[in-house]
Amino acid sequence: MMKHTRLHLGASTIAAALTFGQAPAIADETPTCNESNAKECNAKDEQAIELIRIHGVKSSVYRYDRSGDPRHLADLVDTPQTISVLTQDQIQESGKTDLKDILSAQAGVTLGTGENGNAFGDRYIIRGHEARSDVFVDGLRDPGMTTRESFAIERVEITKGPSSTFAGRGSSGGAVNSITKKASTSYSFGRVDISAGTDDHKRLTADYNQAINDNSALRINALAADEDKPGREGIERKRTGLQLSYTIDPTEKLSFIADAYYLDAEDKPDLGSYFDRDTRRPLKDIPVYAQDEDFLNSEVKTFTLRTEYEINDHLRLYNATRTGNTENEYIATGLRGTTRDATDPVAPGAETLVLSTHQGWQDVDYVTTQFNLFWDTEFAGQQHKLVFGFEYTDESVDNGVFAVENTNPTNCLVGGRRGVSESYCILDGNGNSVDNIGSLMGKTFTRGGADALFDIETVSFYVMDMFELTEQFDIFWGLRQDSFDYSNATSGWSGDQLFDFSDDMYNGHLGVVYELSDITNLYVTYSTATNINGGESDLGANCGYGGLCGSPEQAAQADPERVENIELGAKWMVFDDKLMVTAAAFQITKSDVHESVGDAYSTLGTLNTGENRVKGIEIGLSGDVTDKLSIQASATAMDSEILASYNDANIGLALSNFADESFYFQMRYQPNDKFAFGGDYSYQSEMYGGQPDTAAGYDAENNRYSIVVPDYQVINLFATYYHSDALTFRVNVGNALDEEYWTAAYRSGSFMYLGDGRSVRGTINYEF
């Protein structure tokens, strides 16, 4: 196989840093990597990349050669799977900070919405399949619907295609893994970034690493940020965060890294627009209507301990253990179009916009530990890189509601499914906006009790192996068993119910890599994933959004949903190994799908009656075209289809929240030592609203999809001036064309998330 170790990138960045005179030496000379000193080379490469990223801001890195998950045993170019790596340089230069914004720009990734009962927070959909529970941090699952920030992230990895061998339950379309910043004994440094801009944008981040001695170090990352949503004055976002990382190496063979992480996010949520069924478009130029009392608050607290022990030259033990608590709560205002009732005293029959309330809370407590034994050994004449793993996870999720009352008098009468109701309209009888929209309802609230108590305890065993069959063929295989005990005490429309059952899940992964030439690898891979009944922790007994299907007796008898993926691909290292090019054709088939029955809001369900398929192609670029030009790009063209359903009318329809085509391109050009500029472009084709992982809503009478999210494109720009080795200035222009666009739709179209408007931000970076 191509021996593209991380030294390729390390060597190039070291050379660049020496040119600019910014990086301290980390070794007297650069060694040649071979099998005998691979570990030493990898360690030096890690240090080199980290040093250049921190001290060599003029040498921006848009490619990383290896996954941060140590269970991925080969470099990415030799890995039989599509894995996109977003580096910290790329993320910072894009101007994006929340993980949701970073991911939604990527090809093959779309967003979903929250709703009553489904906690508002980050929701990702990868290759057409729900991934809100498939988010990981340093290889450990990060449960709960929360706001996620990038201030303590070194890079983000998006694995495409089912990967339950690595991830456990879920991961139907892929998974997201964030690699956090860690303390290092190799250097001491400090970095402060201060930003200000339009929409009252203020952001301060600090990154400080202190090598205490040769064996221990401390790193601090801090965040304070506040802004209005661009183009939506009064829609506020506030972030406060802190991560402490401490590393100590008691001996040459034993090391510990301990991390404590805290994030407090306080937002005023904006549910954006809604789908106008008459015009077949979202309503444009909608006024800000969030109420003064609205909030979306997330608080995350975690502690992680990583231990690595080198038993001998061939055996290494790695453990990562985390305990965490997340809290997410929200009261948000929705908006829909309707007409005043004929009995309305002000303007009977007039078109208007009426307000509604969405609310809920979620508390998550979890503990997880993962043991990996890495064994390099010779067997049957082949050198094998084996991983034997054990993982234990216990997740407890309490979901509940608020009791909300509106204390201000209503101002209109509107009709609905439940007859005429007194309501709050933001348009007067002449169609003009009323005064003081934000104080129209006068909400008061108290936190109510839990209506779903979710708990899942999982014990997992897995084995993986990577070996060289011949000089041209590499084989990867993996097997995993997950045994879980599940319980969920729910209340609601179906009354009080206790769901309690256990099951075992089995998954596998097989990949073959063929070295066609010195710069080209071809691969084929087969992988599976498994989803359990009620696998989404935020839904209780609501089958329609990934919650439990059927009665407690039926749910216990349900088979897991099964996902199979076949992928053919190629990877090239071009321009002297500076640029990686990838191309893949894939087909994902999900069978035994749990489906809701009755209307779209039914808590009933059928078990294992659905089947769907996604097939497509994906192309990617990452790295340097020249010494001055860096790019990261990805493009997907996909097609989805319902193959089987309890409702024959669904067969042949597309999946909901699914974009057939998407494209992302980020470019950075540095013509000289003092100046760099670039930007990114993202495009997403139209998609259709509906329940996740099933058919998009369809209007059979008019032969068209019911809810349409229009296609959109967004252009962001940046320019950087390097004043000195210590001082750098950057300007970011977000949504440079000031396009009004929508990123996701609720299944009924009653709200559609708005993308950010144009913004301008300036950042000062000081290093010491």
Side-chain angles (χ1 to χ4, degrees), residues 417-418 491-497 541-542 599-603 747:
R417 290 184 298 172
R418 300 179 183 178
S491 60
W493 293 343
S494 301
D496 295 338
Q497 300 183 95
N542 186 345
D599 61 47
Y601 300 90
S602 175
T603 60
R747 56 187 175 182

Side-chain angles (χ1 to χ4, degrees), residues 364-444:
V364 182
D365 289 289
Y366 67 99
V367 60
T368 181
T369 186
Q370 182 187 104
F371 289 88
N372 293 300
L373 179 66
F374 297 88
W375 185 24
D376 297 338
T377 185
E378 183 175 340
F379 176 74
Q382 309 296 333
Q383 283 296 129
H384 293 257
K385 295 182 178 180
L386 287 156
V387 182
F388 297 94
F390 164 78
E391 188 172 306
Y392 170 81
T393 303
D394 188 5
E395 303 171 35
S396 296
V397 184
D398 295 353
N399 296 284
V401 295
F402 289 93
V404 181
E405 293 185 5
N406 302 319
T407 61
N408 289 343
T410 58
N411 64 357
C412 62
L413 296 175
V414 299
R417 290 184 298 172
R418 300 179 183 178
V420 178
S421 62
E422 296 180 337
S423 302
Y424 296 91
C425 294
I426 68 169
L427 301 181
D428 61 21
N430 297 318
N432 300 315
S433 297
V434 301
D435 296 331
N436 302 317
I437 292 178
S439 58
L440 192 61
M441 303 177 79
K443 296 179 182 179
T444 63

Side-chain angles (χ1 to χ4, degrees), residues 472-484:
Q472 290 182 297
F473 279 98
D474 273 3
I475 307 294
F476 169 80
W477 63 269
L479 296 172
R480 180 175 179 129
Q481 177 193 18
D482 295 275
S483 301
F484 66 87

